Amino acid sequence: MENSEIAKILWEVSELLEFKSENPFKIRAYQKAARNIEGLPLSLEESYKSGGIKALKEIPGIGEAIAEHIEEIIKTGDFKKRKELLKEFPKSFLEMIEVQGIGPKTAMLLLKKRGIDSIEKLEKAIKSGALKGLVGFGEKKEQNILQGITHKKKTIGRHLLSEAHEYADLIINQMGKIKEIDQLLAAGSLRRQQETIGDIDILATSKNPEAVMHAFVKLPQVKRILAQGPTKSSVILKNEMQADIRVVDPKCFGAAAHYFTGNKLHNIKIREMAVKLGLKISEYGVFKNDKQIAGKTEEEVFESVGLSYIPPELREGSDEFEAAKKGNLPQLINYPDIRGDLHIHSTYSDGANTISEIAEFAIKMEYEYIAITDHTQSTRVARGQTAREIIKELEHIDELNSSYKNFKILKGAEVDILPDGTLDYKDELLKELDVVVAAVHSRFKMKKDDMTKRICTAMKNKYVNIISHPTGRIIRRRPPYELDMEEILKTASDTGTYLELNSQPDRLDLSDVNCRRAKEMGILIAINTDAHTKETLYFMQFGVSTARRGWLEAKNVINTNPIAKLMKLLYAKR
Ligand SMILES: [Zn+2]
Ligand SMILES: [Zn+2]
């Protein structure tokens, strides 16, 4: 059983408990454990097999009770508590709550008054006018819900980038050991680092395709085989994702890699360009009068239509061709450009590791600095600190800093933006911090104008450096707040406030599209992890992927700077 499956069960239980209005601290414990597990580099099942429940408890953020739950999940493949809760609330009903505009209360009302317990029934009811007369329902609300349903339907069957990576990496790793395989590549939306992924598409070259097919369908991640052919096979993995493998001729590996990486629109456009030049591009190569003239590498494919190599993350069928023609493609940011992380939680609030544990880990990652940004008093469920409590933390950081060479812990906080746009700490205290990350953690459903004003007011505070997870979306779970994004970007630009690209795989907030808008407006981005465990500092890779999709270069990102320049940027507003 993979970690992501265990995490998924815990997430689901937390959602079910939320629905029952259970104690928020209890709900939080499940969420915290799920989140920690998602980021673990080691297999929980293996740890458990070698060290029992004791080994589980050594993992940060996993206490006695959760360790026992995990034991049950590993042993039985499920969790009794989850099954009991699901009896009360069927799965289809839970999906319904993920539709924007349907909160737990509304869902309960729909169930009791109209017997509606699924998205399908809800859609039908709205379209047939069956909700007329129901308290709180009107045409506008119904239209909003219909929109929410359309949005929700798009994410069904899609998986987070982190989950797709976990499986693809395992598969590539094992297949890579097979001596019959020469070249191996995970193509598709995964290679383009899209925020959610449908299927995993693997390409290989081999002199013995049948041995490759045989090994592929026998992988331990495979749940069932859909098709096994001589050069192509499809399976369903244990996380319900589909994975396909194709063995192609080495002569056309580049053309196949390009074709199966997509996206569709990009492929259509490049084929049209080829036709104008009297060429034909397909997954089998670049052809002139039925004779293959290129296609061994992707570079050759681009060259054949007079383009420089376009990185996969930019292949969206938009203006990447124009940029490639003019030699204007961005020098995309790379993971090693990152010199530190400016949004991390420690045991001073809801993080699982002490500051010195985090620092040691960051030093191993070759970071030059980190900022510790624990929650503030208003976010009580996350053990937010009062003004008095954080003073101790700041002193502790000073102490630790005196023992490091060439590494610095910045003093920070993730300060709540209160509904009126004021901050959870007074300016006198904010002044003492090196990094003020400000974020909305409450009243997500404010009206568009009010929410926009709330965040803009916070940006006008001269101590606020970074707006964290600016739109508040949780991929597949919660839509963004209603926001006037243009106004937010304009105010960020006017006030010199940086915007965060939060690297949590279910946030990736700002999105790629918004990152690109920010770049065009000259706004600098901080790519942070918002890590609650030291291991999840590695989520940085997903932030960098999204930044690349947003055309960002190292110079657009503040935490690619050496410490002296970074400090200047952090104090620029004061
Ligand atoms: Zn936050
Ligand atoms: Zn945070």
Side-chain angles (χ1 to χ4, degrees):
M1 191 168 225
E2 306 304 332
N3 290 350
S4 56
E5 292 166 74
I6 298 171
K8 212 184 262 176
I9 292 174
L10 295 174
W11 272 119
E12 199 171 274
V13 170
S14 85
E15 270 164 18
L16 288 158
L17 291 175
E18 214 162 10
F19 193 69
K20 285 192 74 163
S21 307
E22 276 262 8
N23 178 345
F25 288 90
K26 197 168 161 188
I27 296 168
R28 195 86 183 177
Y30 281 100
Q31 290 172 347
K32 192 169 156 183
R35 199 166 50 196
N36 290 0
I37 290 166
E38 277 172 353
L40 276 183
L42 49 101
S43 156
L44 271 184
E45 184 166 4
E46 278 166 30
S47 312
Y48 174 72
K49 275 184 184 151
S50 61
I53 202 153
K54 202 168 146 251
L56 295 178
K57 280 197 300 194
E58 275 164 18
I59 294 164
I62 294 178
E64 179 87 47
I66 297 280
E68 279 170 17
H69 300 336
I70 294 171
E71 179 181 44
E72 186 190 330
I73 295 169
I74 291 172
K75 273 186 172 165
T76 68
D78 206 344
F79 185 26
K80 213 170 89 202
K81 187 159 190 167
R82 169 174 170 269
K83 280 194 251 174
E84 281 167 13
L85 286 163
L86 279 178
K87 262 183 223 154
E88 245 176 288
F89 309 107
K91 250 200 155 135
S92 60
F93 189 57
L94 286 177
E95 274 173 15
M96 199 168 86
I97 304 164
E98 287 172 9
V99 172
Q100 185 175 5
I102 304 283
K105 266 189 214 146
T106 310
M108 214 53 178
L109 182 82
L110 289 166
L111 180 67
K112 280 192 184 145
K113 302 275 182 190
R114 295 289 189 274
I116 293 168
D117 63 1
S118 72
I119 294 177
E120 286 69 35
K121 284 185 195 167
L122 178 60
E123 191 173 10
K124 228 187 231 165
I126 293 175
K127 285 183 175 161
S128 68
L131 298 188
K132 293 266 154 11
L134 202 57
V135 184
F137 276 81
E139 195 161 333
K140 186 151 182 268
K141 174 146 183 159
E142 291 184 359
Q143 285 314 313
N144 282 341
I145 293 174
L146 281 180
Q147 266 176 21
I149 290 175
T150 313
H151 174 83
K152 171 72 193 148
K153 278 185 175 166
K154 275 190 212 150
T155 68
I156 288 174
R158 298 196 69 80
H159 299 253
L160 291 181
L161 178 61
S162 52
E163 187 184 337
H165 256 292
E166 184 189 6
Y167 276 82
D169 291 351
L170 283 168
I171 294 171
I172 293 285
N173 208 319
Q174 293 160 90
M175 298 296 287
K177 288 180 190 148
I178 299 167
K179 57 179 188 310
E180 283 90 351
I181 291 185
D182 301 318
Q183 283 166 287
L184 193 62
L185 176 80
S189 51
L190 181 62
R191 185 151 176 250
R192 285 184 284 111
Q193 305 287 322
Q194 211 167 276
E195 61 194 32
T196 61
I197 309 291
D199 308 334
I200 296 176
D201 294 301
I202 296 168
L203 294 176
T205 58
S206 169
K207 286 189 190 69
N208 185 353
E210 243 163 278
V212 178
M213 294 302 122
H214 191 74
F216 180 70
V217 301
K218 286 253 152 42
L219 287 170
Q221 286 76 32
V222 171
K223 187 174 177 183
R224 64 175 199 276
I225 302 169
L226 293 176
Q228 183 181 353
T231 59
K232 191 191 157 206
S233 294
S234 296
V235 297
I236 297 289
L237 302 172
K238 284 184 177 156
N239 69 339
E240 297 298 333
M241 269 188 112
Q242 182 172 332
D244 302 332
I245 193 166
R246 281 180 186 79
V247 172
V248 301
D249 190 329
K251 248 185 12 235
C252 65
F253 185 72
H258 178 264
Y259 179 85
F260 288 106
T261 296
N263 72 4
K264 231 179 223 156
L265 200 56
H266 172 95
N267 285 354
I268 291 173
K269 286 195 176 172
I270 204 166
R271 261 179 275 157
E272 285 171 0
M273 293 169 78
V275 169
K276 280 187 193 146
L277 296 168
L279 302 172
K280 194 183 139 215
I281 292 181
S282 74
E283 59 183 288
Y284 303 108
V286 182
F287 296 89
K288 189 170 195 172
N289 302 328
D290 290 334
K291 189 174 170 268
Q292 188 183 347
I293 56 161
K296 198 164 186 260
T297 65
E298 278 190 320
E299 282 81 357
E300 283 183 8
V301 177
F302 288 115
E303 251 169 51
S304 72
V305 287
L307 297 174
S308 53
Y309 179 81
I310 300 175
E313 294 91 337
L314 303 185
R315 298 182 199 166
E316 290 292 306
S318 69
D319 51 348
E320 72 267 23
F321 295 110
E322 240 182 286
K325 233 182 250 165
K326 289 186 191 149
N328 273 345
L329 284 172
Q331 281 288 333
L332 293 182
I333 183 170
N334 287 301
Y335 192 10
D337 294 329
I338 299 288
R339 294 185 192 237
D341 192 331
L342 302 176
H343 181 172
I344 302 171
H345 297 272
S346 78
T347 45
Y348 278 92
S349 65
D350 60 346
N353 292 103
T354 64
I355 299 177
S356 65
E357 285 168 347
I358 297 164
E360 292 304 324
F361 200 86
I363 290 168
K364 274 193 207 134
M365 289 174 74
E366 297 183 4
Y367 278 173
E368 293 165 30
Y369 48 80
I370 52 169
I372 299 294
T373 55
D374 280 305
H375 286 289
T376 58
Q377 51 207 7
S378 290
T379 305
R380 226 171 273 151
V381 285
R383 298 185 43 221
Q385 302 190 94
T386 62
R388 190 182 294 173
E389 286 164 336
I390 193 182
I391 296 297
K392 274 193 217 137
E393 181 177 22
L394 301 183
E395 285 168 5
H396 184 195
I397 292 176
D398 279 334
E399 234 169 77
L400 287 169
N401 269 332
S402 62
S403 65
Y404 296 122
K405 258 189 219 143
N406 306 322
F407 181 78
K408 189 168 171 163
I409 307 172
L410 302 182
K411 290 183 271 190
E414 183 181 11
V415 185
D416 268 44
I417 303 174
L418 304 175
D420 64 357
T422 59
L423 295 161
D424 208 14
Y425 284 157
K426 293 212 171 74
D427 283 0
E428 292 92 84
L429 176 54
L430 298 180
K431 203 170 79 187
E432 301 301 316
L433 304 173
D434 301 311
V435 188
V436 174
V437 175
V440 167
H441 290 122
S442 62
R443 302 268 310 272
F444 301 131
K445 295 241 156 100
M446 279 171 83
K447 280 201 195 109
K448 188 172 184 175
D449 289 351
D450 295 338
M451 189 59 107
T452 306
K453 202 167 153 223
R454 179 180 184 183
I455 296 174
C456 289
T457 304
M459 285 196 270
K460 285 174 191 150
N461 182 307
K462 66 174 175 179
Y463 297 107
V464 170
N465 299 120
I466 300 167
I467 299 295
S468 176
H469 42 75
T471 77
R473 70 154 175 185
I474 307 281
I475 298 172
R476 301 188 309 171
R477 286 200 195 107
R478 189 171 77 206
Y481 330 126
E482 299 238 23
L483 270 187
D484 181 344
M485 205 55 208
E486 285 307 305
E487 189 63 30
I488 297 282
L489 292 171
K490 191 176 168 296
T491 309
S493 162
D494 289 349
T495 57
T497 310
Y498 312 125
L499 296 180
E500 182 180 72
L501 163 46
N502 190 297
S503 308
Q504 293 288 315
D506 57 356
R507 285 195 185 268
L508 300 176
D509 179 12
L510 293 179
S511 66
D512 46 10
V513 172
N514 283 331
C515 278
R516 194 161 174 203
R517 279 291 295 137
K519 175 187 171 178
E520 284 163 4
M521 292 175 74
I523 298 160
L524 296 180
I525 301 290
I527 308 181
N528 295 331
T529 60
D530 197 356
H532 288 69
T533 63
K534 61 182 192 307
E535 287 84 4
T536 50
L537 290 175
Y538 278 121
F539 282 172
M540 185 62 79
Q541 58 176 308
F542 304 118
V544 172
S545 296
T546 302
R548 288 172 64 87
R549 288 180 56 82
W551 294 53
L552 296 193
E553 307 190 15
K555 65 179 183 212
N556 305 123
V557 175
I558 60 169
N559 46 321
T560 58
N561 287 296
I563 184 81
K565 175 86 191 290
L566 175 77
M567 292 310 275
K568 256 189 213 154
L569 288 168
L570 291 175
Y571 280 78
K573 249 175 107 177
R574 298 192 184 181

